[in-house]
Amino acid sequence: MQQIMTMDRSLCLDNSMRMEFDARSENEGLARMAVAAFMTPLDPTVGELSDVKTAVSEAVTNAILHGYENCEGLVVLQCGLHGDVLCVEIIDEGVGIADIEQAMQPMFTSKPELNRSGMGFSFMEAFMDDVEVYSQPGLGTTVRMFKKCGTTPWVEAGE
Amino acid sequence: MVRRMELQDFQVIDQCLCVKLPEEIDHHHAEWICETTDRQIMQQKVTNVVFDFESTKFMDSSGVGMLIGRYRRISCFGGKVYCIHVDRQIKRMLYLSGVYRIIEIMD
């Protein structure tokens, strides 16, 4: 499990960053601001910056709310830059996901009573170029996301 | 310094509850907004809820959850949820999640 959970060093990253914070909802802002600051060398557009911030926010919220079920724990955030590609990993050692495919369905939520929309993974997939989820019940979850920055054209909101 | 949301951000005008949303809506902020909005809906007997996104620069799926939850509550009484001053990024999320079908987005 640990093997999957660490970023592939053979990728020869130009820059990398790792931070650890308590699984508390007030740290969601910290996580997305940290990634936004880390990716500035890529010279992202305002849209790309928002996309990444939203995706990071979703993954961190999942880790806190579902991974650790709002109890104590540590969330690890790892970022890497490789050319014009940003890689972000959000790792928790919480309850894990038994059925990843079901969890990634739009509108699926295991906690409908909590005002959740069930759109977390859908937003991650919509706003990032690639999303990988590794999870084992009882061991935790790693969400790895990639985004190529600086070249993606702005996508209009569909009417 | 990010301005905190206060009760002044909830105003009742003509049986409409107007909620001035904060700069960032994530799971951390959304919980408080949901609770306070629900309490105001019950106490003030409003028919519609208007969410004002004018100062909002960031939102994630918690904001969508917030809108769906308020829609469920207010639609029982025949009311509607309106969103005003929605920027492009947030509008994209409202369309992507399909929530635009149950709420009114006003420009």
Side-chain angles (χ1 to χ4, degrees):
Chain A
M1 194 62 185
Q2 205 56 41
Q3 203 90 55
I4 319 169
M5 285 189 163
T6 47
M7 201 174 286
D8 192 0
R9 293 287 155 191
S10 62
L11 218 76
C12 178
L13 297 168
D14 299 325
N15 192 10
S16 68
M17 182 267 273
R18 182 190 154 91
M19 63 188 268
E20 245 181 37
F21 50 87
D22 284 345
R24 297 169 61 95
S25 65
E26 54 259 56
N27 288 333
E28 291 161 14
L30 168 78
R32 61 176 180 263
M33 294 316 278
V35 179
F38 178 78
M39 69 186 284
T40 44
L42 293 181
D43 201 13
T45 62
V46 179
E48 288 164 346
L49 209 56
S50 293
D51 287 354
V52 171
K53 278 164 78 176
T54 305
V56 170
S57 196
E58 302 295 353
V60 173
T61 303
N62 278 353
I64 295 171
L65 205 63
H66 301 287
Y68 292 117
E69 300 185 300
N70 253 336
C71 298
E72 251 175 71
L74 278 178
V75 180
V76 176
L77 168 70
Q78 292 193 133
C79 294
L81 291 184
H82 178 71
D84 56 357
V85 177
L86 168 80
C87 173
V88 186
E89 276 186 354
I90 287 103
I91 304 157
D92 71 67
E93 290 179 349
V95 295
I97 307 167
D99 187 343
I100 297 177
E101 212 174 301
Q102 183 191 40
M104 292 183 77
Q105 288 289 319
M107 313 299 272
F108 173 82
T109 175
S110 53
K111 294 188 167 54
E113 72 283 3
L114 284 180
N115 281 312
R116 308 302 308 164
S117 62
M119 292 302 291
F121 276 121
S122 307
F123 278 8
M124 286 182 234
E125 286 185 311
F127 295 147
M128 301 296 274
D129 292 333
D130 200 11
V131 179
E132 298 168 3
V133 183
Y134 306 97
S135 190
Q136 264 181 37
L139 285 177
T141 305
T142 294
V143 175
R144 187 184 295 161
M145 304 183 282
F146 297 91
K147 183 145 180 106
K148 190 168 155 42
C149 284
T151 48
T152 345
W154 180 264
V155 182
E156 274 292 3
E159 293 301 315
Chain B
M1 185 62 200
V2 179
R3 201 180 68 89
R4 291 184 78 91
M5 239 187 133
E6 290 166 34
L7 275 177
Q8 287 105 281
D9 296 319
F10 295 83
Q11 279 186 348
V12 181
I13 305 164
D14 283 342
Q15 288 198 316
C16 259
L17 175 64
C18 301
V19 185
K20 210 171 160 357
L21 294 168
E23 214 174 297
E24 304 204 308
I25 307 168
D26 56 11
H27 148 239
H28 181 59
H29 297 102
E31 262 176 35
W32 189 80
I33 304 170
C34 291
E35 279 169 29
T36 317
T37 309
D38 285 350
R39 211 177 319 122
Q40 297 271 335
I41 291 172
M42 299 318 280
Q43 285 171 358
Q44 315 269 357
K45 300 191 171 54
V46 292
T47 39
N48 299 313
V49 182
V50 179
F51 287 106
D52 184 352
F53 286 83
E54 191 167 21
S55 343
T56 307
K57 296 192 177 67
F58 174 86
M59 187 178 96
D60 65 14
S61 69
S62 312
V64 175
M66 175 187 84
L67 294 174
I68 297 173
R70 277 357 86 206
Y71 166 79
R72 283 208 187 110
R73 197 162 277 257
I74 202 90
S75 61
C76 307
F77 312 112
K80 272 189 168 176
V81 174
Y82 296 89
C83 293
I84 56 169
H85 299 126
V86 185
D87 77 9
R88 293 170 84 166
Q89 184 75 10
I90 294 170
K91 206 176 261 180
R92 223 175 125 201
M93 276 178 228
L94 299 182
Y95 278 98
L96 204 65
S97 58
V99 70
Y100 72 96
R101 283 188 289 245
I102 56 169
I103 58 165
E104 299 276 334
I105 304 168
M106 317 258 280
D107 287 310

